[in-house]
Amino acid sequence: MALIVQKFGGTSVADVERIRSVAQRVLATVAAGNQVAVVVSAMAGETDGLVALARELGGEQPDPREYDVLVSTGEQKTVALLAMAMQRLGNPARSFIGAQIGMRTDAAHTRARISSIDTQRLRKVLDEGAVAVIAGFQGVDDHGNITTLGRGGSDTSAVAIAVALDADVCEIYTDVDGVFTSDPRMVPKARKLERISYSEMIEMASLGAKVLQIRSVRFAMRHGVPLHVRSSFNQEEGTWVVPEEEVMEGLFVSGVTYNRDEAKIRLRGVKDLPGVAAHVFTPLSDAGIVVDMIIQNLSQDGSTDITFTASRGDYAQALAIVQEVATAIGASVDGDDSIAKVSIVGLGMKDHAGVASRMFQVLAENGINIQLIATSEIKVSVVIEESHTEAAVQALHAAFLEAGASEPRPEC
Ligand code: ADP
Ligand code: ASP
Ligand code: MG
């Protein structure tokens, strides 16, 4: 008998028919002799609707405590409905919201981090032969306030529950067949990967592949929980997210990702003195703005230009903050929020030369101008004009991942 955590995303529980078929699927796993804890998202579109409502009454930045109380209700609906559906099919099931299973988090509303889970109640339900149906995306802080874990957070709830219960596997059921070499909705020739390493998946998730929330993969890697990403619409094997040494395919590039949630801000004519960067970035971090790429160049006149990127939602606030700093230090500012970041990710880049230059060539051949570049051991990212996103992703996929793609030189 195995203990399995199964997480179903929004499309998988989009309506009563889908909920009924999820109930049947879970009960087939139970009938095969396993204990199952299920984590569910809100119905597709529900969270977006709740966020829109919050903004309508609470403004662009609604009170975070009340926002969490509101947006967490989407999952409360689906757990109750799924438990009812299973009971109707003749199997005991019990629903739980985060607070009922002691899903403790810190107090960072809208992006809380899980600190502990009290598994006693869950174990009791499972040992009684019932299915535990748990609301994803939410927890409770030390003062009893409801918190949420950030968009896509049910993945993280599922992995945390798998860790706490010491589950054998955490299955993530979604609306595609697994993790693909690129977003299958943008690249028709993208193909499903049988396996991908935790580290590549972390890069892909952080660079825009929203199939898994990045924190869920970090959590799984830290605790060695195998993740199986698969479709809730068929019985096919999906993609296993596993340690590096278990990935056999040996692709030097495993994925092409894009992120349109980007904006860039440039400061020009900054005096080249110690402390200037701290002067620019401290007020941004004090305001809770997460900065992504930072590029600093020395101009011929001895002053420097500093360009950075941040999430598009933070653009207006970041621009206002930087404007103030610029006035104080005599620099000028401009910005652009119609950019996108396109990246290639792959473990094989560690020991193959020429991957970045091939990427730049492909973009040049397609007339796409590169505005910024960032690299790490297993990724190369470029910032381009947003309108070129699809063309860039498709061209890079063709160049690195489709038939006839050229292999770069292995490093000696
Ligand atoms: P769920 O509601 O099940 O959590 P999400 O919408 O969060 O599902 O994530 C699944 C979506 O992720 C897919 O529909 C797909 O468009 C998108 N996606 C982006 N990049 C990839 C990728 N590399 N592989 C698979 N899916 C991807
Ligand atoms: N319902 C939440 C969202 O839409 C959490 C999740 O689905 O993972 O972001
Ligand atoms: Mg998701």
Side-chain angles (χ1 to χ4, degrees):
M1 182 175 73
L3 199 164
I4 301 174
V5 173
Q6 299 187 324
K7 178 257 168 178
F8 292 89
T11 341
S12 310
V13 292
D15 54 40
V16 286
E17 262 327 300
R18 294 291 313 144
I19 292 178
R20 201 172 287 129
S21 90
V22 166
Q24 282 160 347
R25 183 159 197 150
V26 172
L27 294 187
T29 311
V30 173
N34 303 297
Q35 288 188 323
V36 186
V38 183
V39 175
V40 245
S41 292
M43 290 170 158
E46 175 85 12
T47 311
D48 288 342
L50 292 167
V51 170
L53 273 177
R55 294 213 171 113
E56 236 176 86
L57 281 175
E60 263 313 298
Q61 311 274 338
D63 179 80
R65 183 185 180 280
E66 305 316 328
Y67 172 97
D68 279 351
V69 171
L70 179 69
V71 298
S72 63
T73 58
E75 274 72 11
Q76 184 163 349
K77 260 163 83 173
T78 42
V79 282
L81 291 168
L82 183 57
M84 285 175 201
M86 284 188 222
Q87 291 163 3
R88 230 14 224 299
L89 291 167
N91 200 92
R94 189 93 40 85
S95 69
F96 297 98
I97 59 166
Q100 289 174 300
I101 56 153
M103 173 73 80
R104 282 297 179 92
T105 71
D106 61 18
H109 284 292
T110 78
R111 55 191 160 85
R113 303 182 78 85
I114 299 169
S115 46
S116 65
I117 303 175
D118 176 8
T119 52
Q120 230 182 344
R121 208 161 168 194
L122 286 179
R123 285 211 183 277
K124 189 159 176 287
V125 168
L126 296 173
D127 290 342
E128 286 166 5
V131 176
V133 187
I134 304 149
F137 181 50
Q138 58 179 270
V140 66
D141 74 7
D142 289 344
H143 303 286
N145 296 304
I146 292 174
T147 53
T148 61
L149 312 180
R151 296 305 304 268
S154 298
D155 296 331
T156 303
S157 311
V159 174
I161 287 162
V163 170
L165 290 173
D166 197 19
D168 297 283
V169 56
C170 181
E171 297 182 334
I172 306 283
Y173 287 89
T174 185
D175 57 2
V176 286
D177 287 353
V179 179
F180 282 65
T181 47
S182 194
D183 185 348
R185 297 190 199 286
M186 182 177 276
V187 182
K189 289 195 177 157
R191 62 182 177 80
K192 187 182 79 184
L193 295 162
E194 274 175 35
R195 284 163 180 258
I196 185 167
S197 66
Y198 291 119
S199 46
E200 285 167 301
M201 193 64 237
I202 287 171
E203 286 285 7
M204 278 177 66
S206 74
L207 296 169
K210 68 164 188 163
V211 62
L212 287 173
Q213 197 197 36
I214 177 171
R215 280 164 54 195
S216 69
V217 195
R218 286 210 192 104
F219 218 131
M221 178 172 169
R222 205 174 322 126
H223 296 276
V225 179
L227 293 180
H228 186 187
V229 183
R230 56 194 309 195
S231 170
S232 65
F233 296 84
N234 62 47
Q235 302 290 332
E236 303 298 313
E237 275 276 298
T239 303
W240 286 86
V241 188
V242 291
E244 263 177 43
E245 46 295 356
E246 291 175 30
V247 179
M248 312 299 286
E249 249 181 304
L251 294 171
F252 65 93
V253 170
S254 333
V256 181
T257 62
Y258 64 95
N259 188 2
R260 289 192 164 108
D261 178 24
E262 297 275 341
K264 72 169 183 186
I265 293 178
R266 180 172 57 162
L267 271 130
R268 285 202 283 184
V270 180
K271 286 200 185 73
D272 189 22
L273 294 171
V276 165
H279 201 65
V280 174
F281 291 105
T282 307
L284 290 166
S285 76
D286 288 348
I289 293 171
V290 178
V291 168
D292 179 17
M293 295 169 156
I294 302 178
I295 287 152
Q296 182 173 0
N297 285 323
L298 200 58
S299 300
Q300 270 180 336
D301 66 2
S303 68
T304 68
D305 289 357
I306 300 176
T307 307
F308 66 90
T309 61
S311 162
R312 204 173 284 181
D314 290 332
Y315 178 62
Q317 196 189 357
L319 197 57
I321 292 172
V322 173
Q323 210 100 49
E324 213 169 290
V325 176
T327 311
I329 63 175
S332 65
V333 182
D334 59 64
D336 184 356
D337 65 347
S338 54
I339 57 163
K341 183 165 69 176
V342 172
S343 312
I344 54 175
V345 175
L347 277 178
M349 279 184 215
K350 279 187 192 173
D351 41 35
H352 284 81
V355 180
S357 60
R358 177 88 188 103
M359 179 185 194
F360 304 152
Q361 258 167 25
V362 171
L363 294 170
E365 283 158 12
N366 285 272
I368 298 168
N369 188 39
I370 300 171
Q371 302 180 11
L372 302 169
I373 300 169
T375 60
S376 79
E377 213 180 15
I378 64 164
K379 71 126 201 268
V380 185
S381 296
V382 295
V383 164
I384 58 170
E385 195 182 298
E386 188 186 4
S387 59
H388 292 146
T389 310
E390 194 158 344
V393 171
Q394 288 176 351
L396 292 169
H397 193 271
F400 286 108
L401 284 150
E402 289 169 29
S406 56
E407 282 269 335
R409 279 178 291 125
E411 206 123 81
C412 317

